[in-house]
Structures are given as structure tokens and as C-alpha cells.
Amino acid sequence: MGRGPVAGQLIASLKRLEYRGYDSAGVATLEGLHIERRRAEGKLRNLEERLRDYPPSGHSGIGHTRWATHGKPTESNAHPHATENVAIVHNGIIENFRELRAELERNGAHFSSETDTEVVAHLVESYLKNGYSPQDAVQASLPRLRGAFALAFLFKGHEDLLIGARKGSPLAIGHGTGEVYLGSDAIALAPLTDAITYLEDGDWAVLTRTICMIYGADGTVVHRETSKSGASSLLVDKVNYRHFMAKEIHEQPTAVGQTLAHYLDMSAERVALPLTLPFDFNFIQRISITACGTASYAGYIAKYWFERLARLPVEIDVASEFRYREAPLRHGDLAIVISQSGETADTLAALRYAKSQGLHTISVVNVSTSTIARESESVLPTLAGPEIGVASTKAFVCQLAVMAALAVAAGKERGKLSEFDESELVRELIEVPRLIAAALLVEPQIEKLARDIAKASDVLYLGRGTSAPLALEGALKLKEISYIHSEGYAAGELKHGPIALIDETMPVVVIAPYDDVFEKTVSNMQEVAARGGSIILITDARGASEATVDTLMTIVLPNMAASFTPMVYAIAVQLLAYHTAVVMGTDVDQPRNLAKSVTVE
Ligand code: F6R
């Protein structure tokens, strides 16, 4: 709610959120006594064009960019959804929308979309029609909704009123001068204000330009702290890069350096965690790591580190499976969740499950104000800065940096690493930002290679040891932004099935630093070569000279100690995915069907 027309402010904020969903967009404002809506299929720029032709003049409004769950990404499914007296925007999923819709239709409601969201508008409208005030109508509706939601409501005839509610999906209130805002996160509100109040799960808020009342799920007034958000100082700009992804890949020497500096005492060559953990690693019998997508591959790599350096068994699972498989967990053990956004619904549910089983919880998150950060016992932040490209790059390597430092700390506390071992490992970590900068120099070579990869319809990635999960990450990166089918495999698994796919048309990317499993990987490369597969070998100088196999291309990365190679080898697979996508002409930063922050199951 503003002091002048709000459409421009809504668009500016939506631009900052567009990376989270971009298949349609819309705004609704209050114009005199009616609700005025403008919606458009596709990217936000389509909506912007529409607003340019017909600018709304209302001083209160709501807006949304959508990532489709229920119903195609058409204009009629775009938010806001509205009935006669209320307009709403929604993030999340209303799980019981079918039964609610049937009930509302029986009572005469006419639906104009296929979405789950529209039921909320009709539900609130049904209470308004029965004489409820807007506040009472929302309060009566919320307990009837199953699922996850962040909702904002605008009411016809109530120019100085905005209601918001959250369960599962994040929602923040921004406080301005004579203005008030609701947003999915502080980044969206950053150009408007840095005074932010985060709603807790189950909260709902009734806002006027001057009064902000927050209620808990039981309807009692609750107090939530207002804090100063750092988001306004964060630049969400491509600078001179063509894509955010390219910028974020190139930011890695700095981002990883900043993150490591937070966890290491570089001059003493010691790990120095920024907080005292509320447990002793000697009493932990098993670590359970959960995450989704790229963050889960950071967890898989960390498993090798914790097991090798701290002799601590690690279980790792993707959060969407972990949350429903009723894993038996031991009270007092440790659960670590990893998430760039800190809002991923499955990861949040995994965290809550671990807490309910009496585990200590650590979250490794990039957004320190996120729900996952706020709900975990200890937070170990990655200091990557905002990651806008949908494909995660710098956050991934920063996650590895944090996990590496933590694994060394655990090894030290458990007496598995001596002071000498610790300083050697810390020295290796200190080198990583410089090595990442050196790895970025292979970009012209990879740009050339990308022209060949772009011709393939399938690509295989192989690796052993910590390079095995990196192979999964390489394949994910390529498929999600170039739409070329790709698979990652532990190199030793090749002969158990995937080798049947190999022929001259199938590039095989082998990630193989010269380490203690290098020779085994070379044997697997021989198996590929014998079947006519074309090999792209990513290795170091020693590996390049010792590999006795013909390759389509050998990419030589800087020499480094074997412990933390994925942090540097990640750069090569990121660049390969990026340049292939550029050759393919896809929408690199906003690939089809994806969204940056997955707040639904
Ligand atoms: C892939 C990618 C996703 C995310 C996943 C988890 O490039 O970015 O696989 O890693 O959706 O997201 P966060 O880390 O926000 O929990």
C-alpha cells in the first residue's frame, strides 16, 4: 500500500522475484470502488507492456509471478485471482482445493481458472457474502486450507487494508513511511524498505498504512521482531555479463574466499567456526544430511569428507524421500540440511522431522533470514551473496567450503586429525579461491567444446570418489539449462548398465583429478574408448600425461592436493553447461519449467 500509484513499485519488486517463477505474472490494484486486474502469460516483460498501454492508478495493490503447479501457464491461471470483493496472490499449494471447489461450486461459485489458488478467493468471498468483515472472513478461511501458502488479500472498498497469511511458504512485512508492503522475501522489498518483519509459520497479519497487527494461528495477537535487512545493499544486477549465471560463476573466487574466511583462521591455519556448536562431535554417532538437487550433491561430496577426515558415518538422502521414509534417527545425533534459498519445502520438512526426533540441527544456507535458517539450532551461512541464476553455481561451491571446514572441525574434535593434519587441510582450503580463479582460465577452451556438446542428444558424466557426486552435478547443470539429456554415474557403475548406451554419438565427460582412484577411472575410460565413445577428460597436468586414452578434448585444471578437488572441478562443469546452453540459445537464467526457490512439494 503506497502513497501514490503502486503499479510501478509492484513491477519493480516482481522483477526482483522473477527468478523464482516466470511463466505468467499479474497485478491487481484498487481503483475507486472496484478491483482492477492486469495479467499476462509468460515473462514479466509481457505484463509490463500491458501496463504501459493501460496503466492502473490504484494506491494499493498486489502482484505475483507464477511457477505453475495446478493449471497451465495461461493468462486465466495467472494470479491475482479475484472474485467480486477480494483479490489474492498465493505461493504454495492448497492440497484440499478439489473438495473446497466442489463445495463452493455447489453453493453457486463460478470458477474461471484451473488453479488451486482460486478456491481461496471464493472461500473468503463466501464469508464476505455472509456479512463477515474482511479480517473475520480471512480468519474463518485459513483453518480450512490444507497445504502450504503465503497469501496476500486485497479487498474491494477497503483502500487502507492488506491482509497476509503464511503457512509453509515465507512472507515478510516491509515497513515504509506512510506505506506498508508484503513480500515473499526481503529482496523483493529491498528497493522500498529495509525494515522487515518476518511472519512465523501460522501467522497472519492485518495491515493498514499506519498499523500492523500480527496474529498467531489461534487468533491471538503476537509480537514479531522488526529487523534491518541487508538485502537493500545487495546488487541484483548482471553488471557486464550476459547472464546472471556467468556473473555468478565468475564471482566464485570472491564468494568462496569470503565464505572460507568466515570459517578459517587463516594465519593460525586452524578451522575457526563462527559459533560454538551446542554438541560435541565425539557424542555424534551418525550424521544425517538432507537437501535437494544441487545442494544434495554438495551433501554427497561432504559425506566422503566426514567419513574420511572425521571417521563419522554419514547418511545422505534427498529431502523429498527422507521426509516420508520414517528414517530411524538417534536422539542426540546430528542432522545437517543444505539449502541455498533456505525455503525449499522438502528440505524444511526434513529439518522439522529431524528436530522432532531430538537431533541437533545445523543448516547450511545462503539466505540467513530464511525459514530453514530460523528454524535450525545452528546456522552455518554460505556467504555467496544473492544467487539469481536459477542454476545454482556459487552457492554450491560455497556449500562445499562450509562442509569442508565443518568436516575438518569434526575430525579435529574427534581426535582423528592432528594439529599438523588440520593445518595442512586448512592450507589446502586457503588455496581454493586462487585455484578457482585459475580454473576459470579454461573458459575459452570450454566455449569451443560447447559447440560439439550442443550437437549431442545425450551426454554421460563419470567420476569416482568425490568426483562421482560432481558427475551427478555436472549432468544436472547441463540438462537443466541446455535441455540436453545427461546422466551422471559413478565411473565404476558404467559396466553395470549405462555402458550399453555408448556409441560415437555420445560424449562422455570424465572428471578425474590425479588422485588415488585415478587409475581406476582410466580403466573405465578405456572401456568407453573401446566402444567408440568420445571422451572429454577434465583432469590436471599429471592426469593428462598419465591418461593413456585418446580424448576428444582434455581440459587441464590447476594442480592441487586431492582432498577438496570438487570445489575447483565444479567450475569446469558449470562452464560447460553454461556455454552449451548459450550455443543452444536457451533461456540460461530462467530455464523452462523451473523456479529458483521450490516452496512446494
Ligand atoms: C540446480 C538447482 C536446484 C537446487 C534445489 C535446491 O541448479 O539449483 O537443484 O539446488 O532446488 O534448492 P535450495 O538449495 O534453495 O534448497
Side-chain angles (χ1 to χ4, degrees):
M1 281 184 291
R3 283 170 294 168
V6 290
Q9 288 175 324
L10 285 169
I11 293 291
S13 289
L14 290 177
K15 273 189 187 153
R16 298 170 73 89
L17 281 181
E18 195 182 14
Y19 69 103
R20 295 171 60 148
Y22 36 80
D23 47 40
S24 59
V27 296
T29 61
L30 284 183
E31 311 267 328
L33 272 181
H34 70 283
I35 296 168
E36 189 66 33
R37 266 193 305 168
R38 306 266 198 285
R39 298 178 296 166
E41 195 175 315
K43 293 287 181 67
L44 193 55
R45 59 176 172 266
N46 299 348
L47 176 68
E48 248 184 308
E49 266 166 37
R50 197 154 295 182
L51 293 186
R52 214 170 291 135
D53 299 341
Y54 307 99
S57 60
H59 292 197
S60 345
I62 53 180
H64 190 260
T65 64
R66 176 167 186 250
W67 181 72
T69 60
H70 295 66
K72 295 199 180 71
T74 56
E75 183 174 331
S76 58
N77 287 332
H79 300 211
H81 289 284
T83 53
E84 191 190 336
N85 292 297
V86 61
I88 70 161
V89 288
H90 167 221
N91 283 343
I93 292 180
I94 306 298
E95 286 168 358
N96 56 336
F97 81 99
R98 276 195 191 80
E99 53 205 79
L100 287 174
R101 181 167 173 152
E103 174 194 315
L104 290 158
E105 280 177 335
R106 271 198 306 278
N107 295 332
H110 292 291
F111 280 74
S112 56
S113 80
E114 304 153 326
T115 64
D116 53 329
T117 301
E118 198 185 347
V119 295
V120 185
H122 284 285
L123 187 61
V124 171
E125 179 75 36
S126 69
Y127 287 108
L128 294 171
K129 290 254 159 70
N130 280 329
Y132 283 57
S133 68
Q135 179 169 341
D136 291 344
V138 170
Q139 187 171 13
S141 300
L142 292 179
R144 303 205 51 203
L145 305 177
R146 250 194 358 254
F149 50 80
L151 289 161
F153 302 85
L154 191 67
F155 296 89
K156 180 172 136 181
H158 295 266
E159 210 278 322
D160 193 21
L161 177 69
L162 198 57
I163 298 185
R166 75 154 286 187
K167 190 179 142 217
S169 306
L171 193 61
I173 301 169
H175 308 272
T177 316
E179 300 192 334
V180 69
Y181 325 100
L182 273 173
S184 297
D185 65 27
I187 287 192
L189 304 178
L192 305 169
T193 181
D194 61 357
I196 302 289
T197 308
Y198 290 96
L199 295 186
E200 306 261 314
D201 224 27
D203 285 357
W204 56 288
V206 179
L207 311 175
T208 69
R209 286 182 177 78
T210 48
I211 300 171
C212 161
M213 297 296 291
I214 305 178
Y215 301 89
D218 61 1
T220 55
V221 174
V222 290
H223 175 73
R224 305 290 176 223
E225 289 304 321
T226 299
S227 55
K228 213 168 146 60
S229 143
S232 57
S233 60
L234 299 172
L235 202 64
V236 182
D237 188 339
K238 288 201 276 271
V239 197
N240 289 325
Y241 289 93
R242 196 166 152 196
H243 299 102
F244 278 109
M245 185 177 177
K247 171 175 171 262
E248 288 158 7
I249 289 174
H250 283 267
E251 280 171 350
Q252 290 179 106
T254 315
V256 175
Q258 266 167 13
T259 302
L260 284 170
H262 201 58
Y263 291 90
L264 306 177
D265 179 339
M266 301 212 182
S267 52
E269 295 178 352
R270 298 273 158 255
V271 171
L273 298 183
L275 46 80
T276 309
L277 295 173
F279 57 84
D280 184 326
F281 272 109
N282 287 296
F283 299 114
I284 303 294
Q285 287 182 11
R286 181 177 296 273
I287 300 178
S288 161
I289 301 180
T290 30
C292 296
T294 288
S296 77
Y297 299 139
Y300 277 101
I301 292 169
K303 172 182 166 79
Y304 288 76
W305 292 337
F306 277 104
E307 294 189 347
R308 189 174 295 157
L309 303 175
R311 308 300 302 146
L312 240 175
V314 173
E315 278 231 335
I316 161 117
D317 204 350
V318 288
S320 53
E321 286 304 313
F322 176 82
R323 64 180 293 188
Y324 292 117
R325 74 180 164 82
E326 296 173 31
L329 300 174
R330 197 186 70 95
H331 193 277
D333 266 354
L334 172 63
I336 305 178
V337 296
I338 308 174
S339 174
Q340 187 285 127
S341 62
E343 300 295 351
T344 303
D346 286 323
T347 310
L348 177 59
L351 168 70
R352 289 179 178 159
Y353 176 69
K355 272 171 81 173
S356 75
Q357 302 297 298
L359 274 76
H360 293 289
T361 56
I362 292 180
S363 62
V364 176
V365 288
N366 199 37
V367 181
S368 54
T369 49
S370 60
T371 312
I372 288 178
R374 281 181 286 121
E375 291 197 14
S376 46
E377 188 180 24
S378 310
V379 184
L380 297 181
T382 48
L383 305 182
E387 191 179 66
I388 304 298
V390 161
S392 187
T393 52
K394 60 177 181 171
F396 171 70
V397 181
C398 289
Q399 286 159 357
L400 291 176
V402 175
M403 294 301 269
L406 191 62
V408 176
K412 185 74 196 317
E413 192 164 83
R414 288 165 62 82
K416 308 294 177 195
L417 296 175
S418 64
E419 292 212 339
F420 177 80
D421 298 330
E422 182 188 14
S423 50
E424 192 167 273
L425 290 162
V426 169
R427 273 203 306 276
E428 288 176 20
L429 285 173
I430 292 171
E431 285 295 301
V432 166
R434 178 186 67 76
L435 294 164
I436 292 176
L440 283 166
L441 300 177
V442 299
E443 188 161 15
Q445 197 189 358
I446 291 190
E447 221 175 319
K448 217 163 132 240
L449 171 65
R451 288 181 223 139
D452 286 324
I453 299 292
K455 291 182 202 136
S457 47
D458 306 274
V459 180
L460 199 59
Y461 284 73
L462 300 177
R464 266 182 191 263
T466 49
S467 301
L470 188 62
L472 304 182
E473 166 62 4
L476 172 61
K477 213 90 305 174
L478 183 69
K479 73 174 78 139
E480 70 177 327
I481 59 169
S482 73
Y483 316 146
I484 295 174
H485 171 244
S486 42
E487 295 295 332
Y489 265 94
E493 276 291 295
L494 188 66
K495 53 191 162 301
H496 300 291
I499 200 163
L501 294 170
I502 302 232
D503 62 17
E504 312 66 47
T505 65
M506 169 93 126
V508 180
V509 179
V510 182
I511 305 166
Y514 190 84
D515 57 14
D516 52 353
V517 288
F518 178 76
E519 281 176 5
K520 307 280 173 206
T521 314
V522 170
S523 307
N524 302 131
M525 282 198 297
Q526 308 274 18
E527 293 153 15
V528 172
R531 284 151 186 89
S534 41
I535 296 164
I536 293 111
L537 173 61
I538 306 177
T539 185
D540 46 30
R542 178 97 191 259
S545 73
E546 306 259 334
T548 49
V549 185
D550 284 340
T551 61
L552 175 68
M553 187 178 274
T554 300
I555 294 162
V556 181
L557 295 182
N559 290 326
M560 64 182 292
S563 321
F564 304 116
T565 50
M567 295 171 71
V568 175
Y569 281 61
I571 311 308
V573 296
Q574 293 168 353
L575 287 171
L576 182 56
Y578 172 72
H579 285 291
T580 307
V582 170
V583 175
M584 301 290 288
T586 56
D587 191 342
V588 173
D589 283 333
Q590 297 182 340
R592 69 184 180 206
N593 306 338
L594 290 172
K596 184 69 180 164
S597 170
V598 185
T599 51
V600 296
E601 287 192 46

